[in-house]
Amino acid sequence: MSGKKKKKRKDQISSEALEQDENFYFIAGYTAGGFPYGITWGEYEMDKNGKSHGMNDKGEPMKELQLTKQQFKELVDAYDIYGDDFEVFLNIETGDVVTLRAFDLDEEDEELSEIIEEGLNEIYFQIPQRESREGYADMVDFAEMVMDTRLRTTLINILNGGKKVFRRFKDALASDSNEIERYYRFVEERNRIRVVDWLESIDVNVTLE
């Protein structure tokens, strides 16, 4: 990759494949009259952490990590995986995402475990899992953007309490194929931003090839 090629900022990385316009950073859908709704650019800018590009809070240069789109997708997918029987790590030298079983390690796992332990917090960093509070916040924010009054009311009632909130919320959204698709895109976008924020927290600045 040429050194003269302009590198992408966090907002450029996270906006890959998003529907946007001059008013909306993320268009979640359209009203019956054809007007867009979603996250405005102003709302998005308020949510950014304000760090200088390529520098950490101390003004020191950050580690530059180039990822392919596929590598970045694997990283975001790993962030959204739940499980107590495995751990997922990012190699900040190569951009590879590796999975290590927590129990019943075979010879290959043992070897990988030793490699990770030697490079932990220098080369290998454990990828955090999306917290349930983040998932709930995503559902609340998305429900407020649903234009169908009946569906929006149903979603809000589900979020107000009861068992299996996550499952019931998705089941209700599944009644509208367009809304469930927009919801998955919305969650993925939120996760992309969270992943880039996490990378910045370990002083890594990511760019896409």
Side-chain angles (χ1 to χ4, degrees):
M1 180 175 171
S2 171
K4 296 182 179 180
K5 185 176 290 186
K6 186 176 180 180
K7 294 184 177 181
K8 297 184 179 181
R9 295 170 56 91
K10 178 172 73 173
D11 51 354
Q12 291 175 297
I13 292 172
S14 61
S15 65
E16 292 285 339
L18 285 183
E19 188 174 3
Q20 303 173 318
D21 64 15
E22 66 275 10
N23 297 315
F24 287 91
Y25 167 73
F26 172 75
I27 297 177
Y30 294 85
T31 66
F35 296 100
Y37 61 90
I39 300 173
T40 66
W41 282 102
E43 291 170 335
Y44 171 69
E45 290 296 333
M46 288 179 63
D47 191 51
K48 290 171 64 176
N49 59 19
K51 288 184 181 178
S52 299
H53 179 55
M55 308 293 286
N56 62 17
D57 289 330
K58 299 178 181 179
E60 300 169 337
M62 300 169 70
K63 164 75 176 179
E64 295 292 335
L65 175 62
Q66 289 188 348
L67 299 177
T68 65
K69 290 182 179 180
Q70 180 59 34
Q71 284 178 314
F72 188 66
K73 182 180 185 306
E74 290 176 1
L75 178 53
V76 174
D77 289 345
Y79 178 81
D80 201 30
I81 293 176
Y82 296 90
D84 295 326
D85 56 345
F86 60 87
E87 297 174 330
V88 188
F89 297 83
L90 171 68
N91 183 323
I92 65 169
E93 296 292 338
T94 65
D96 292 334
V97 173
V98 297
T99 301
L100 179 65
R101 290 186 296 179
F103 310 102
D104 300 324
L105 276 65
D106 57 21
E107 185 176 340
E108 185 175 344
D109 290 326
E110 291 285 0
E111 182 178 344
L112 177 59
S113 178
E114 291 179 5
I115 293 173
I116 290 175
E117 186 174 352
E118 289 177 1
L120 192 61
N121 296 332
E122 292 184 0
I123 298 175
Y124 286 94
F125 287 79
Q126 185 171 356
I127 301 170
Q129 296 180 347
R130 182 167 65 101
E131 299 180 7
S132 58
R133 64 177 177 79
E134 293 175 329
Y136 184 81
D138 289 344
M139 292 191 297
V140 171
D141 291 343
F142 185 82
E144 294 175 351
M145 295 188 294
V146 173
M147 298 303 296
D148 184 291
T149 304
R150 178 178 293 183
L151 179 57
R152 184 173 66 252
T153 300
T154 298
L155 295 174
I156 292 174
N157 287 338
I158 290 173
L159 293 171
N160 282 336
K163 298 180 179 180
K164 300 181 179 180
V165 172
F166 285 80
R167 172 50 56 191
R168 289 163 50 216
F169 185 90
K170 290 182 180 180
D171 287 346
L173 269 182
S175 64
D176 187 316
S177 59
N178 290 328
E179 289 294 352
I180 190 69
E181 178 62 27
R182 277 195 287 267
Y183 170 70
Y184 286 135
R185 288 174 51 212
F186 178 81
V187 171
E188 182 178 10
E189 165 58 17
R190 285 283 182 90
N191 287 340
R192 290 161 75 94
I193 294 174
R194 289 166 183 146
V195 165
V196 175
D197 284 340
W198 168 67
L199 288 168
E200 289 183 347
S201 75
I202 60 173
D203 291 339
V204 174
N205 181 63
V206 65
T207 58
L208 296 186
E209 294 180 356

